[in-house]
Amino acid sequence: MAPEHETFLAEAAALLGPRGLTRDADLVTPWLTDWRGRYTGAALALASPATTVEVADLVKLCARHGVPIVPQGGNSSMSGGATPDQSGRAILLSLRRMAVIDPVDASARQVTCEAGVVLQNLHTAAETAGLRFPLTLGGKGSATIGGLISTNAGGTQVLRHGVMRALVLGIEAVLPDGSIYSALTPLKKDNRGFDLKQLFIGAEGTLGIVTKATLKLVPAITDRAVAWVGLPSIHAARALLLHCETFAGNLLEGFEVMPRACLDAVLDYLPEARNPLSGPHAWHALIELAADAESAANLQDRAEALLTGAFERGLAEDAVLAANETQAEAFWTLRDSVSPAERAKGPAMQHDISVPVAAMADFVATAVPAIEAEFPGTEALGFGHLGDGNIHFHVLAPTGVIRGEWEEGQGKAISARVHDLVTAANGSISAEHGIGQMKRDELARLGDPVALALLRQVKTALDPKGLMNPGKLLALRPHTP
Ligand SMILES: Cc1cc2nc3c(=O)[nH]c(=O)nc-3n(C[C@H](O)[C@H](O)[C@H](O)COP(=O)(O)OP(=O)(O)OC[C@H]3O[C@@H](n4cnc5c(N)ncnc54)[C@H](O)[C@@H]3O)c2cc1C
C-alpha cells in the first residue's frame, strides 16, 4: 500500500475507533458488489461513523489526503451508485450506524432521523405514532433514508404522495470540505434565495453526504382496498387507470402493472405464491385505494363499485378484491417480487424509464416488439408504475449467453436502443433509480448539453477536487462521442 494511504488509514482509525473503521475482508467484501451483482469494486477500508461530527471529520481528512469517498446506505441501488471503482483508492463510507429516529412530532406530522435509518424501521416508528411515511418500495428492508434522498426514490405510492423530494422537509449534510450544512427545521415559507436542500436530493452522493433529514408524515391508513385485475392489453391498463382516477380521485394510492411473463416469473420464484385470478391474462394491474380517518369511509363498497364500473365499460377481463389484509399483502408481495424473480431468471438489461403518462401505453406496445425483433432471442418486459409514466423496461438475454460478455456486447447495444426510443418519446432514461455508474455515459450521450453543463458547474462549485462519489452521475470531463 502507498505510504500516503497508510498515513490516511492510521489517522482515520484514530478518528473513528475500531467499530468505525475496518479493513477486514469478511466485513468489507459484501458491500463492494451492487445489489444486481453487476459491479464489483475495491476500497481502502469501510468507514462507519456514528455521528455527523465524525462524518465531517472524516470528510476533512479525506479532503486533506485526496481520498475519494463513496457514500453507501443499504446498497440497494439499481444503478451501481454505491459501488466504488476497482482502483481501491476510495473509502466506502457507510451511514448504517447512524440509525437514530427522533420521537415523532405527531402534531406537526413530521419526524427527524439519521441517514442510516432503514425505510421499514421508519414505517414502524411512524405507525407507532399513529401516522405513516408514505413512500415504499421493494427494497424497503435495506434501503436507507440517506439513499432514498440521494436517489430521489419513487416507489409504489408516488401517484398520491409524490417522490422522495415531496416528503423531505429538511436536510443536514456534510459538504465535500467537511463543513456541515444544517437545514433541518422546516419552514413552510422561506425565500432566502435558492432552496439549497434540493441540491442533495437526487445528487447520488456527488455533492456531499446526507446525515439527517426531517420528513413529512401523513395520517395512518384506516382502511384499504386492494384489487388484482386481469387485462387484455397495456392500453386497457391505461384506460383502467383513467377510470380509477376519475372514480376514486384522491383515494387512489397505487396503480401498478405487469405483463403475464412477469407474473409467471414471480410464481416460479415464490413457490407459496398463487395467481389471484384463475385464467391467463396478457396484463395485470394491482390497484390500491386507501382511506385515512380524514377521508371517505366505505372503501370496500367504493372499490367494488369501481370494479363493477370497469367491467361495465369493458375495461377488465377479470378482477378480485382482496378479502382481508393477508390477501392484500399477498397481492403486493407478487408485485414487490418482480425484480428479484427476474434477477433469478438470468442476465437482463434493466431500464428505469419514464415518458409522459399518456404516451406510456403506446411506448410499451411499440418498444417491446421493436426490441425483440432487433435482438432475436431476447424477451422485453415493461412493468411497474404506469400511473407515474414510469416503467421498468427489462430485456432478458437469449438463453445460453455468458453474462458479463453479453452485458458488455449486445446488452449495451440494447440499452442504447431503448434509451434512444425513450429520448425520441421526450422521456427520461432514469425515472427513479438514478444514473449511478450504469447510465453515466448514456446521460452524457443523450442529455441536453445545457443541462449537462449546469450539472457539471454545480458539481465543480461544491466539489472542486472531485472526491465525492467519483465516476457516478457525471463523467468529469465533457463527453466526446
Ligand atoms: C427489490 C428492490 C426494489 C426497488 N424498488 C424501487 C422502487 O420502486 N423505486 C425506487 O426509486 N427505487 C427502488 N429500488 C432501488 C433502491 O432501493 C433505491 O435506489 C434506494 O433509494 C437506495 O437506498 P440505499 O440506502 O440502498 O442506497 P445505496 O444503494 O446505498 O446508495 C444509493 C445512492 O445514494 C448514495 N448515498 C447513499 N446514502 C447516502 C447518503 N447518506 N448521503 C449521500 N449519498 C448517499 C450512494 O452513493 C448511491 O449513489 C429498489 C431496490 C430493490 C433492491
Side-chain angles (χ1 to χ4, degrees):
M1 181 188 304
E4 67 271 18
H5 284 151
E6 277 175 24
T7 315
F8 164 76
L9 286 172
E11 288 181 38
L15 184 72
L16 300 174
R19 277 196 73 198
L21 192 88
T22 182
R23 303 196 63 219
D24 180 339
D26 287 347
L27 299 176
V28 182
T29 306
W31 303 103
L32 293 175
T33 296
D34 71 310
W35 186 82
R36 288 201 175 277
R38 180 167 294 162
Y39 304 100
T40 295
L44 274 179
L46 172 68
S48 310
T51 64
T52 300
V53 170
E54 281 189 2
V55 174
D57 288 345
L58 179 68
V59 171
K60 280 181 199 152
L61 190 67
C62 290
R64 218 167 45 242
H65 287 271
V67 171
I69 300 170
V70 178
Q72 192 180 78
N75 197 25
S76 65
S77 166
M78 291 279 196
S79 53
T83 310
D85 65 19
Q86 292 178 349
S87 70
R89 286 180 55 242
I91 190 151
L92 194 57
L93 196 167
S94 163
L95 277 298
R96 289 182 292 276
R97 259 180 93 201
M98 292 179 56
V100 173
I101 305 176
D102 287 355
V104 170
D105 184 341
S107 62
R109 287 185 185 156
Q110 65 193 41
V111 63
T112 297
C113 69
E114 291 185 319
V117 168
V118 169
L119 178 59
Q120 201 155 33
N121 296 342
L122 187 75
H123 286 162
T124 306
E127 274 160 34
T128 309
L131 292 167
R132 177 163 74 109
F133 181 63
L135 184 142
T136 194
L137 38 79
K140 66 187 172 202
S142 45
T144 63
I145 297 307
L148 295 160
I149 291 174
S150 302
T151 58
N152 188 25
T156 49
Q157 295 169 340
V158 171
L159 202 52
R160 184 168 174 187
H161 301 284
V163 291
M164 194 68 186
R165 195 182 292 283
L167 303 170
V168 176
L169 303 175
I171 273 193
E172 179 192 84
V174 171
L175 305 185
D177 66 358
S179 54
I180 299 170
Y181 168 71
S182 184
L184 281 173
T185 314
L187 298 172
K188 267 208 159 172
K189 290 185 161 182
D190 180 10
N191 279 348
R192 292 172 290 177
F194 309 141
D195 186 357
L196 293 171
K197 69 174 179 301
Q198 300 295 344
L199 278 176
F200 302 95
I201 305 174
E204 303 187 40
T206 60
L207 299 182
I209 295 159
V210 177
T211 45
K212 278 187 189 166
T214 302
L215 302 167
K216 177 179 165 182
L217 302 176
V218 299
I221 289 176
T222 51
D223 193 10
R224 69 171 177 164
V226 179
W228 191 275
V229 184
L231 299 154
S233 66
I234 183 77
H235 285 94
R238 163 76 179 145
L240 181 63
L241 168 66
L242 287 176
H243 171 68
C244 292
E245 285 175 339
T246 310
F247 192 91
N250 206 27
L251 296 174
L252 184 61
E253 176 94 6
F255 190 98
E256 299 287 308
V257 296
M258 66 174 82
R260 181 178 169 186
C262 284
L263 179 62
D264 289 346
V266 171
L267 296 174
D268 287 346
Y269 177 72
L270 298 176
E272 72 281 9
R274 306 244 319 264
N275 184 343
L277 303 173
S278 48
H281 302 278
W283 282 85
H284 298 257
L286 173 57
I287 305 169
E288 177 166 317
L289 306 190
D292 54 47
E294 295 170 2
S295 51
N298 299 329
L299 205 63
Q300 305 302 319
D301 292 347
R302 292 192 68 160
E304 270 176 35
L306 182 149
L307 293 178
T308 306
F311 282 124
E312 283 169 0
R313 286 157 196 240
L315 301 177
E317 291 177 336
D318 196 3
V320 57
L321 197 55
N324 49 43
E325 260 306 297
T326 311
Q327 208 174 10
E329 273 307 305
F331 290 0
W332 272 110
T333 301
L334 294 176
R335 164 63 187 95
D336 287 341
S337 303
V338 174
S339 286
E342 180 256 299
R343 183 173 71 158
K345 278 186 83 170
M349 299 307 285
Q350 300 84 19
H351 313 93
D352 157 43
I353 57 160
S354 64
V355 300
V357 180
M360 185 49 97
D362 281 346
F363 179 84
V364 173
T366 52
V368 165
I371 293 292
E372 288 178 347
E374 198 170 329
F375 302 97
T378 61
E379 185 183 6
L381 309 160
F383 67 92
H385 323 300
L386 186 70
D388 308 329
N390 169 204
I391 286 286
H392 301 305
F393 191 95
H394 292 188
V395 183
L396 276 56
T399 43
V401 299
I402 297 168
R403 180 178 174 157
E405 278 176 19
W406 179 77
E407 285 170 354
E408 283 306 307
Q410 189 181 57
K412 277 199 169 158
I414 290 171
S415 289
R417 188 76 188 103
V418 172
H419 292 155
D420 286 346
L421 292 172
V422 170
T423 305
N426 291 322
S428 166
I429 64 167
S430 176
E432 57 177 13
H433 291 164
I435 295 295
Q437 52 186 303
M438 188 164 124
K439 295 179 204 156
R440 186 196 62 189
D441 295 344
E442 284 294 83
L443 179 66
R445 183 173 74 89
L446 294 168
D448 167 29
V450 177
L452 286 171
L454 260 178
L455 282 176
R456 278 196 204 98
Q457 283 166 27
V458 174
K459 167 76 175 168
T460 311
L462 266 79
D463 182 22
K465 294 181 179 171
L467 293 180
M468 297 303 312
N469 214 2
K472 315 294 165 44
L473 180 57
L474 284 169
L476 273 184
R477 262 171 282 128
H479 174 77
T480 40

